[in-house]
Amino acid sequence: MTIFNGTMVLDRYLSQNQSPKFLIFLYSPEDFDPLSQRQIVGMYEAMTWRVVQPNRLINLAALLRRPDEFFYWAGFGWRLALERVRNRPASNDILQFRTAHQGQYPIDAPTATECETMVRPPSVPNREWVAGLRSYNRDGTTVLVDSTPMAPCDPKLSYFQQKLPALVDNRFQTIPITAFTTEGRMHVNAIGSALLSNMVADQVLQHMSVDSTGRKP
């Protein structure tokens, strides 16, 4: 979403809701330079969201500036539409599960056992991008810019250990490879989700303690 739309989704939310007490930007290490990932990350959802926003003609024109991405988006959409015609509607059990869990489905992908060997494009953290995220630190909102942890075997671990600590607010660290799934880079499973949630929760609690006492615990 960020690669194609920047912070438009967040800006739309903030324009319609009260300012949150905490705003946490949690990105994978590569995504601190979003544009460097444009060629290897699918953007169908981001493009679809953009098209249905107000000023549709302007948004469609933005898509047409990159014909290759536009035709990818259009072709993928037609394929989904044809599959919907061919497939049976979702069962009541699935619909009830979706409603009860706010559209969240469990990840059934297998647990990862080794790190990927794919050679990814260079991604030097963009200081201007990070500074832009910190500009939301206003109106009573505390901004935290965090990086997701990596597996110890990740071939880019040492690179990001050097590049990220000075830019992010959390302690850049690792979690076991068994906390990830094979469904995409750095997608955590139930174990990893708990680890990651606790890391963020501890960080927020620490900041709340500082706010209440005026000093760090």
Side-chain angles (χ1 to χ4, degrees):
M1 191 64 73
T2 297
I3 293 172
F4 188 78
N5 294 312
T7 58
M8 288 179 63
V9 177
L10 173 61
D11 294 335
R12 177 62 55 83
Y13 173 85
L14 293 177
S15 70
Q16 300 173 0
N17 295 273
Q18 291 184 340
S19 299
K21 186 170 183 179
F22 287 92
L23 187 56
I24 302 171
F25 294 97
L26 181 62
Y27 286 107
S28 63
E30 287 94 347
D31 289 340
F32 287 101
D33 179 27
L35 291 181
S36 73
Q37 306 303 298
R38 191 167 187 133
Q39 298 302 318
I40 61 173
V41 176
M43 293 184 288
Y44 177 77
E45 293 88 350
M47 297 170 80
T48 301
W49 180 87
R50 181 73 168 269
V51 169
V52 300
Q53 299 307 303
N55 303 315
R56 292 186 179 183
L57 290 178
I58 295 176
N59 293 327
L60 184 60
L63 266 65
L64 288 171
R65 291 193 188 103
R66 298 180 69 109
D68 55 334
E69 294 178 354
F70 172 80
F71 286 112
Y72 152 79
W73 168 76
F76 195 82
W78 274 110
R79 190 179 76 184
L80 290 178
L82 291 173
E83 289 178 351
R84 181 174 298 178
V85 172
R86 184 184 62 185
N87 296 335
R88 292 185 301 174
S91 67
N92 286 332
D93 289 343
I94 292 178
L95 294 176
Q96 290 174 4
F97 183 94
R98 182 175 66 184
T99 300
H101 295 81
Q102 299 180 330
Q104 300 288 329
Y105 289 92
I107 296 177
D108 295 326
T111 297
T113 57
E114 59 183 6
C115 283
E116 67 173 18
T117 57
M118 173 181 176
V119 178
R120 292 178 172 269
S123 177
V124 180
N126 188 325
R127 292 181 177 273
E128 290 184 5
W129 170 254
V130 175
L133 301 179
R134 295 194 185 283
S135 69
Y136 291 91
N137 191 42
R138 59 180 186 268
D139 301 327
T141 297
T142 297
V143 169
L144 300 175
V145 180
D146 290 351
S147 170
T148 57
M150 303 177 76
C153 60
D154 195 296
K156 283 198 168 183
L157 176 61
S158 60
Y159 173 79
F160 285 116
Q161 282 178 328
Q162 297 174 13
K163 297 291 184 180
L164 283 180
L167 289 179
V168 298
D169 295 308
N170 64 334
R171 185 168 58 87
F172 186 67
Q173 55 190 300
T174 62
I175 57 177
I177 185 63
T178 52
F180 297 93
T181 75
T182 57
E183 185 194 58
R185 178 166 169 76
M186 287 191 252
H187 286 196
V188 294
N189 55 22
I191 294 174
S193 179
L195 291 172
L196 185 56
S197 296
N198 285 332
M199 290 177 187
V200 174
D202 289 342
Q203 186 183 20
V204 171
L205 288 173
Q206 182 179 19
H207 277 268
M208 292 176 66
S209 177
V210 171
D211 289 343
S212 63
T213 63
R215 58 185 178 82
K216 291 186 177 182

